[in-house]
Amino acid sequence: MKNIVIGQYVPGSGFFHRLDPRTKIIAVLFLMVTIFLLETITQMAIAFGVSLMLIAVGRISIIRVIKGLKPIFVLLVFTFVFQIMFNQTGEALATLNMGLSVSSILFLLAWTVIWRLVARMIKRFGILLFLMYVTGGLAILTYGNVWVSFSSFSVTVYEDGVVMSLFVVMRLLIIIMFSTILTLSTKPTDLTQALEKLLHPLKIVGIRSEDFALIISISLRYIPTILDEANKIMLAQASRGADFSEGKLKDKITQIVSLLVPMFIIAFKRSEDLADAMESRNFVPGKPRTRIYELSFAARDVFASFVVLLLFGASIYVKVFL
Amino acid sequence: MAIYFREVSHHFQAFDEGPYQAIRDISFSLQEKGEFVGLIGQTGSGKSTLAQHMNALLFPSIGEVEIFGKKVTKKRNKKINYNAIRRDVGLVFQFPEYQLFEETVEKDIMFGPRNFGMDVEEAKKKAAEVIKLVGLDESYLSRNPLNLSGGEKKRVSIAGILAIDPKILVFDEPTSGLDPFGKHQLMALFEDIREKTGKSIVMITHDMDLVYAHCTRALVLKNGKLVFDGRTDELFKHSDLSDFYLDKPQTMQILEYIETKYGLTLDSMKKTPEEAAKAIEAAMKS
């Protein structure tokens, strides 16, 4: 519970770290539109290369970016598989004649056992092992039907399917990469301040961006605190025999209630305390206030905006003329 | 011996600065019966962390804690029922807000016993029994624990652990937030439990008077290290307690002041005002 990092900001001094957060937010929006304007796999591959270069330029650790991709890994795999399976146009590349039989089921079982054992022994590279397991499983379904076969089916992979799936997966990857670069290189507080400044024009329609920024920064500030409290409550209830991992469903519900009720009470109490503390220091919502660190544009922001506009223009150009 | 600490260290992962050593290299043992241990030290010296090792809420990063024959180490052992350890060693947390959640005090007290498999009737009986032990009457059982005052909440949270009937009791600052009367009532309860059942009690506190008056043994932590383990009177004979960021009990301070101010020789190791007065009288006569 302790290692949940909010906003995943990593301190550094690369190009993106020094960029003004306002520039970064606008740039990411523009770049996303740019990506959605692209139409062919070659263009997408170039864009992919460019975003990899951006990571290198910003001296952002590629491992961090890959870690950021982890949560959507399943989504990526599903997109890939479904695109391959349902795009049935173009040239047929390969046909796999698969089937189910007693022998292939036995092989599959054995393969699963081997996979679990190896996964338990080697704690890392779980994703890689899973991919190997899936590939092996497909191979078994294709070639393992040597004994008592009872059904067979075939899967054909078409050229368009492969191209489309690569296209979609790359697009997803690029977008996630952009947002990861943004969150890795920008402090959450800077992000909210930038949002506040960017949404400032909304006051014409009566929406005060300062209030939103305040709400966001307070909630960001209190996430670790509340997690810490949750941890303490869990320990206190575990001390009274609440076992959050085992037990019947009915017991589990009581135990979760025993965690939630104190959490809500503490959260409400904390918010009241915070309101009192702010009021006692004469905090007036919506009043203009100064900051220790004011955001400021520099030459590099102009340069970055120029590059982004160039990329954006290029994508419009290829969309219209190619 | 019921609890053994063998070279136990625990570090927390801090966000930026790497691991933070809360306690380091701690070894001692605790008997099941007859001990009344004061766990003292300055704030942030690791007292609470140490206490949470006593019922396996925290696992040592290095070393081993043996609790009633079950060895708790860094790795979770599937053969050990950690929940059973918590029935043997009851730990009351400092802030009751972290545990009170039911609609009535009775239900809240029953939460612990019910988790450990006691049936409803028996748990109800137990609740009625322990609520009186902590100095509240039975009318409290039907009240909402969240609407009680701070001191009452504290008592209810203590009752919640007493109802489990653990073999050893560990209290994290049980007297904080209690008025002087409640404090003495609680200490009387501890003495009573000790007298009737002989159970060992461990108490974290900053109140040297309580430690001196009630505890038989003192464990002193300083910056995560166990710097003193021994009889309470020996601790307070120690000439320079400020080494440990501690203070002498009030009675001793007064007696020592009288001793130097009036040039008397008297025995300052007295616990109660009556004893102190007698010591002064004896010194005046001689």
Side-chain angles (χ1 to χ4, degrees):
Chain A
M1 184 144 288
K2 281 259 156 88
N3 45 29
I4 297 174
V5 182
I6 310 302
Q8 57 178 347
Y9 170 70
V10 181
S13 58
F15 181 73
F16 294 124
H17 280 86
R18 281 177 289 150
L19 221 49
D20 189 288
R22 283 171 292 181
T23 320
K24 278 188 273 190
I25 292 176
I26 298 287
V28 165
L29 286 178
F30 264 91
L31 287 175
M32 284 190 181
V33 175
T34 308
I35 296 306
F36 275 97
L37 287 174
L38 299 179
E39 273 174 339
T40 66
I41 180 90
T42 358
Q43 293 163 6
M44 196 51 83
I46 292 169
F48 193 68
V50 169
S51 26
L52 285 179
M53 262 164 57
L54 284 181
I55 291 180
V57 167
R59 274 185 280 157
I60 283 167
S61 121
I62 190 88
I63 297 163
R64 294 262 176 196
V65 179
I66 291 172
K67 268 187 190 160
L69 291 177
K70 228 176 181 176
I72 61 144
F73 180 75
V74 180
L75 184 69
L76 283 178
V77 170
F78 266 96
T79 333
F80 190 75
V81 170
F82 276 98
Q83 289 289 346
I84 282 192
M85 278 172 70
F86 293 113
N87 264 309
Q88 307 232 323
T89 52
E91 210 178 314
L93 286 181
T95 308
L96 293 175
N97 291 309
M98 298 204 213
L100 273 181
S101 65
V102 173
S103 63
S104 69
I105 287 172
L106 283 178
F107 282 143
L108 262 185
L109 280 177
W111 183 235
T112 314
V113 169
I114 291 171
W115 169 56
R116 283 320 308 166
L117 280 179
V118 174
R120 189 163 292 181
M121 261 157 43
I122 313 169
K123 293 273 185 223
R124 296 160 124 204
F125 309 118
I127 292 165
L128 217 65
L129 284 173
F130 178 71
L131 281 181
M132 271 163 66
Y133 169 71
V134 172
T135 326
L138 287 177
I140 287 171
L141 285 177
T142 317
Y143 303 109
N145 302 307
V146 284
W147 189 50
V148 205
S149 188
F150 41 73
S151 82
S152 71
F153 48 91
S154 70
V155 175
T156 315
V157 177
Y158 294 92
E159 195 188 347
D160 282 8
V162 174
V163 169
M164 261 320 275
S165 59
L166 281 177
F167 182 81
V168 172
V169 165
M170 268 202 283
R171 189 158 71 187
L172 261 176
L173 273 176
I174 294 171
I175 286 166
I176 302 293
M177 252 149 57
F178 283 156
S179 47
T180 316
I181 291 177
L182 178 68
T183 49
L184 276 179
S185 66
T186 322
K187 281 186 213 141
T189 46
D190 282 352
L191 267 182
T192 44
Q193 201 188 340
L195 271 180
E196 181 188 328
K197 290 265 158 56
L198 288 173
L199 296 179
H200 201 68
L202 282 183
K203 85 168 176 233
I204 300 165
V205 286
I207 297 169
R208 284 203 314 236
S209 61
E210 294 92 348
D211 293 356
F212 283 105
L214 184 70
I215 292 167
I216 296 171
S217 50
I218 287 178
S219 16
L220 282 176
R221 162 65 187 76
Y222 273 91
I223 290 170
T225 314
I226 297 283
L227 280 180
D228 206 38
E229 305 276 24
N231 197 29
K232 278 185 195 160
I233 297 165
M234 255 164 87
L235 288 181
Q237 302 299 25
S239 190
R240 293 204 288 168
D243 195 338
F244 294 96
S245 52
E246 285 157 41
K248 280 174 273 173
L249 185 68
K250 191 172 159 267
D251 298 341
K252 258 196 184 143
I253 290 169
T254 340
Q255 274 144 12
I256 285 172
V257 169
S258 80
L259 179 65
L260 284 182
V261 174
M263 264 199 50
F264 271 100
I265 292 167
I266 287 173
F268 279 124
K269 201 176 146 15
R270 272 199 179 271
S271 67
E272 256 170 46
D273 288 351
L274 179 70
D276 285 347
M278 284 164 83
E279 260 171 34
S280 64
R281 289 180 213 179
N282 254 342
F283 182 90
V284 182
K287 276 278 153 86
R289 42 180 58 81
T290 53
R291 293 176 181 272
I292 299 183
Y293 305 107
E294 284 290 347
L295 299 178
S296 61
F297 288 114
R300 53 177 164 268
D301 293 296
V302 178
F303 172 68
S305 320
F306 179 69
V307 172
V308 168
L309 282 180
L310 207 67
L311 290 172
F312 184 61
S315 73
I316 289 178
Y317 178 80
V318 293
K319 169 97 180 170
V320 177
F321 295 106
L322 295 181
Chain B
M1 293 284 174
I3 299 180
Y4 294 89
F5 275 67
R6 297 194 185 100
E7 283 146 27
V8 174
S9 299
H10 188 95
H11 41 252
F12 290 109
Q13 204 64 45
F15 275 117
D16 293 336
E17 308 131 30
Y20 168 73
Q21 283 261 343
I23 53 174
R24 46 190 106 186
D25 208 17
I26 286 184
S27 301
F28 68 92
S29 58
L30 201 70
Q31 274 168 353
E32 190 188 336
K33 298 277 177 198
E35 290 209 80
F36 196 163
V37 182
L39 183 51
I40 46 189
Q42 135 201 61
T43 43
S45 58
K47 304 182 295 292
S48 296
T49 310
L50 182 65
Q52 285 169 28
H53 278 81
M54 288 181 181
N55 69 347
L57 284 178
L58 289 180
F59 292 6
S61 305
I62 306 167
E64 172 191 278
V65 185
E66 190 183 321
I67 307 161
F68 289 99
K70 295 183 179 104
K71 287 181 180 166
V72 180
T73 52
K74 187 179 180 183
K75 264 185 86 178
R76 205 179 177 88
N77 186 341
K78 277 191 187 143
K79 282 180 207 142
I80 295 179
N81 181 356
Y82 291 96
N83 228 4
I85 294 179
R86 287 156 204 162
R87 176 163 42 186
D88 288 342
V89 183
L91 172 64
V92 184
F93 274 71
Q94 184 179 355
F95 300 106
E97 289 81 13
Y98 288 122
Q99 64 176 66
L100 302 178
F101 73 101
E102 284 280 14
E103 300 131 61
T104 65
V105 169
E106 184 179 38
K107 275 190 185 171
D108 207 278
I109 294 176
M110 282 161 63
F111 181 69
R114 294 283 293 136
N115 277 330
F116 291 119
M118 199 185 273
D119 60 57
V120 183
E121 285 310 309
E122 211 176 327
K124 266 190 183 158
K125 232 190 275 169
K126 198 83 204 174
E129 189 186 316
V130 291
I131 195 80
K132 274 181 253 159
L133 280 181
V134 293
L136 301 173
D137 57 61
E138 277 187 55
S139 67
Y140 277 90
L141 286 178
S142 55
R143 288 182 61 179
N144 186 331
L146 308 174
N147 293 339
L148 300 177
S149 74
E152 288 163 340
K153 278 184 189 168
K154 188 108 203 175
R155 290 164 206 235
V156 171
S157 74
I158 291 171
I161 296 291
L162 290 180
I164 299 169
D165 217 359
K167 292 179 190 158
I168 290 183
L169 288 157
V170 184
F171 297 95
D172 193 343
E173 301 208 19
T175 54
S176 70
L178 288 183
D179 51 54
F181 179 72
K183 208 186 265 185
H184 288 124
Q185 209 176 19
L186 195 63
M187 295 320 289
L189 165 68
F190 290 177
E191 292 284 0
D192 192 49
I193 292 172
R194 248 161 55 83
E195 209 171 279
K196 282 186 187 145
T197 62
K199 283 174 189 171
S200 285
I201 295 175
V202 179
M203 172 174 75
I204 295 179
T205 182
H206 289 290
D207 192 329
M208 291 306 127
D209 295 327
L210 293 184
V211 174
Y212 187 49
H214 300 280
C215 297
T216 55
R217 179 180 172 191
L219 296 173
V220 182
L221 287 183
K222 184 185 165 189
N223 295 331
K225 281 198 180 122
L226 187 62
V227 287
F228 181 90
D229 174 9
R231 292 175 51 84
T232 322
D233 32 0
E234 271 164 31
L235 171 72
F236 292 116
K237 265 185 206 151
H238 191 284
S239 53
D240 205 5
L241 281 168
S242 58
D243 261 7
F244 303 150
Y245 305 104
L246 296 178
D247 221 352
K248 288 195 174 172
Q250 292 280 326
T251 350
M252 279 181 72
Q253 282 185 28
I254 294 167
L255 287 175
E256 278 173 12
Y257 180 76
I258 292 173
E259 198 174 11
T260 46
K261 172 114 191 190
Y262 299 103
L264 298 171
T265 42
L266 50 78
D267 179 12
S268 63
M269 303 295 289
K270 295 289 174 252
K271 295 183 179 179
T272 60
E274 292 83 11
E275 284 178 25
K278 267 181 204 154
I280 296 170
E281 272 170 21
M284 301 246 294
K285 272 177 200 156
S286 64

